[in-house]
Amino acid sequence: MSAPTTGQLPVVVIGAGPIGLAAAAHLIERGIEPLVLEAGPTAGTAVRDWAHVRLFSPWAEVTDPAAEKLLSPTGWVRPDGTTYPTGGDWAEDYLQPLADVLGDKIRYSATVTGVARAGRDRIVDSGRNEQPFTVHVQRHAGSEERIAARAVIDASGTWSTPSPMGSNGLPALGEKTSADRISYRVPDVKDPAVRARYAGKRTAVVGSGASAFTALAYLADLAKEEDGTHAVWILRRGIGADTYGGGEADQLPARGALGLRAKAAVENGYASAATGFRTQAVERDADGRLVLVAEDGRRLDPVDEVIVLTGFRPELSFLSEVRLGLDERLQAPTALAPLIDPNVHSCGTVYPHGVNELSHPEQDIYLVGMKSYGRAPTFLAMTGYEQVRSITAAIAGDREAAERVELTLPDSGVCGGAGLFDDPDAAQDSTGGGCCAAPSTLQIGIGAPASSGGC
């Protein structure tokens, strides 16, 4: 029996999250066999890690059309499109049913450890594009296998690689050895074990985005019930008009409300702010508590715990043998990077994009979803679905459909330039702020206001 040609091989999709599953649905719609490799034990493993946090986007904006077509024959009905799911809702009521439909097209507990061209390392030019990809996989029991693929869509996200506390992008001195008291996730204070970790404690929250707002709001709620609970908000810049986002002027009410809750936490004394603080080191005092030390020598009073919410970055080590074209700052595809660069703007003015912006020197490999944005902080869910629609059309040879924009994103939110975001003395004017400009982001929020929406 002859070996299959490259065109008969499956397209390997890395990650069974929202965008990876959508990619599989679009491939099936195009008559192409997908194989989804998921490192975790279930669909949406990363999403389940923040199951307690509510999206700013309503159900109508976080499901993919091709996925809905697959789900429809099963009797699945999308939840009320005007309501707002938590991460847990999204996983249980959409991602897992979709994964169930895909069945054996998904392999769980399968960690991708390498991607290369068959018989070619990244140096070799000869015959490169004619060779299939070989995807190296490690299973949970320790066994290894190699899978041949006609194309690779990497939707593995960035959740597994949070950015460290150090202001230079590297871990602060002592950060690794203090790992027992440092978390890189928004705490679920309704969980008894997590609640016990922070109740009655002094906790530093490092970061300035929506996740930091969420943590401050949660800790403020805890402080109302548990005496001695206090948050110290660590900011690299000063507090200006846009520090808390758009507030009441934000056209995405849930996002604005979240910023106002963080502001209230500070104004009501449940949190205090340390501004212009660039963390250089973490030390322990005689009682084992942590002392944060800034580059300028300032030392904060000891804290019991630290929550680091400074963003995420892509894991690229397993792609070292393929030729990626990545921006040197954001680690995003070079054509996409200028559109999402937070040095230039902080709002989601990114127009829908697809195969042209996401292509690399290596043909037929694509980074999509959160991973395509590299270190940029804001990603749009509907934009991710448009990414994989375009890419799967290109893989199918339908270039016209691949280059056609099938998504219109409404303008909304309070947006502005962010070039001074890291200047401790800069207080941006009231036109700045806004983390995005479309009501379909995967940046996560808090609460369940009836009118909430957006990122």
Side-chain angles (χ1 to χ4, degrees):
M1 184 176 179
S2 60
T5 65
T6 298
Q8 295 172 319
L9 295 173
V11 172
V12 164
V13 179
I14 305 174
I19 310 305
L21 294 178
H26 281 276
L27 287 166
I28 290 172
E29 191 172 54
R30 288 279 179 177
I32 300 171
E33 182 72 12
L35 176 59
V36 182
L37 303 175
E38 167 57 44
T42 62
T45 298
V47 174
R48 295 173 192 272
D49 277 353
W50 48 269
H52 57 294
V53 182
R54 192 170 299 276
L55 288 165
F56 291 157
S57 304
W59 270 111
E61 294 163 357
V62 296
T63 58
D64 174 77
E68 289 196 22
K69 290 179 184 178
L70 276 184
L71 284 164
S72 182
T74 71
W76 179 87
V77 177
R78 186 181 66 198
D80 182 353
T82 64
T83 61
Y84 297 78
T86 62
D89 296 334
W90 204 17
E92 289 298 327
D93 298 338
Y94 170 63
L95 300 179
Q96 193 59 55
L98 178 55
D100 291 342
V101 171
L102 291 169
D104 60 7
K105 292 178 172 57
I106 305 177
R107 295 185 191 176
Y108 298 105
S109 301
T111 300
V112 174
T113 58
V115 178
R117 288 285 186 180
R120 307 288 190 277
D121 62 20
R122 67 182 297 153
I123 299 174
V124 178
D125 291 331
S126 178
R128 186 174 193 87
N129 292 337
E130 288 70 48
Q131 295 300 311
F133 289 96
T134 177
V135 181
H136 292 222
V137 180
Q138 183 167 354
R139 304 306 298 269
H140 70 282
S143 61
E144 297 178 285
E145 63 177 315
R146 296 182 182 181
I147 298 170
R150 63 182 287 187
V152 176
I153 299 175
D154 183 357
S156 59
T158 57
W159 183 251
S160 64
T161 48
S163 296
M165 192 188 321
S167 61
N168 62 357
L170 298 174
L173 296 175
E175 181 172 348
K176 293 182 178 180
T177 57
S178 302
D180 59 319
R181 289 178 178 258
I182 299 177
S183 170
Y184 299 85
R185 305 287 186 247
V186 174
D188 180 4
V189 295
K190 293 183 179 179
D191 181 299
V194 176
R195 185 183 182 90
R197 180 172 181 173
Y198 298 103
K201 305 291 180 61
R202 181 178 169 87
T203 300
V205 177
V206 185
S208 60
S211 293
F213 291 169
T214 305
L216 291 170
Y218 280 166
L219 291 173
D221 289 343
L222 185 60
K224 296 172 186 177
E225 301 173 4
E226 299 283 352
D227 291 341
T229 304
H230 187 77
V232 182
W233 188 17
I234 311 299
L235 289 159
R236 294 176 185 170
R237 58 176 172 172
I239 293 181
D242 73 326
T243 297
Y244 301 100
E248 294 179 356
D250 199 321
Q251 294 181 39
L252 304 176
R255 187 180 69 197
L258 176 59
L260 292 175
R261 288 188 64 184
K263 183 178 182 181
V266 174
E267 293 179 344
N268 294 333
Y270 298 118
S272 54
T275 60
F277 194 96
R278 298 168 179 267
T279 308
Q280 177 174 275
V282 184
E283 299 177 357
R284 287 188 186 260
D285 68 6
D287 298 322
R289 302 175 81 197
L290 302 184
V291 177
L292 303 189
V293 183
E295 291 177 352
D296 61 10
R298 278 186 294 163
R299 303 170 65 87
L300 297 183
D301 291 338
V303 296
D304 300 287
E305 299 284 342
V306 178
I307 300 173
V308 181
L309 300 168
T310 53
F312 296 87
R313 55 187 59 179
E315 168 55 59
L316 299 168
S317 62
F318 65 86
L319 300 174
S320 63
E321 294 307 314
V322 291
R323 299 171 177 179
L324 300 181
L326 299 177
D327 179 77
E328 66 274 10
R329 293 164 298 173
L330 297 186
Q331 296 177 297
T334 51
L336 177 61
L339 310 178
I340 59 176
D341 187 351
N343 289 294
V344 179
H345 58 79
S346 62
C347 56
T349 52
V350 183
Y351 62 83
H353 53 275
V355 67
N356 290 334
E357 293 82 2
L358 297 169
S359 293
H360 295 276
E362 191 81 69
Q363 295 181 17
D364 296 322
I365 186 166
Y366 304 96
L367 312 185
V368 299
M370 287 292 294
K371 192 161 188 178
S372 72
Y373 272 40
R375 298 193 185 196
T378 302
F379 176 73
L380 310 176
M382 289 196 297
T383 298
Y385 297 147
E386 174 69 359
Q387 286 180 342
V388 295
R389 182 207 62 79
S390 172
I391 286 169
T392 54
I395 292 173
D398 187 351
R399 198 71 195 186
E400 187 277 331
E403 297 183 357
R404 184 176 64 240
V405 174
E406 294 188 3
L407 174 66
T408 300
L409 295 173
D411 290 332
S412 60
V414 178
C415 300
L420 299 178
F421 81 102
D422 208 25
D423 184 344
D425 298 320
Q428 295 168 287
D429 65 35
S430 60
T431 63
C435 63
C436 59
S440 56
T441 75
L442 290 185
Q443 191 168 3
I444 52 181
I446 186 174
S451 61
S452 63
C455 69

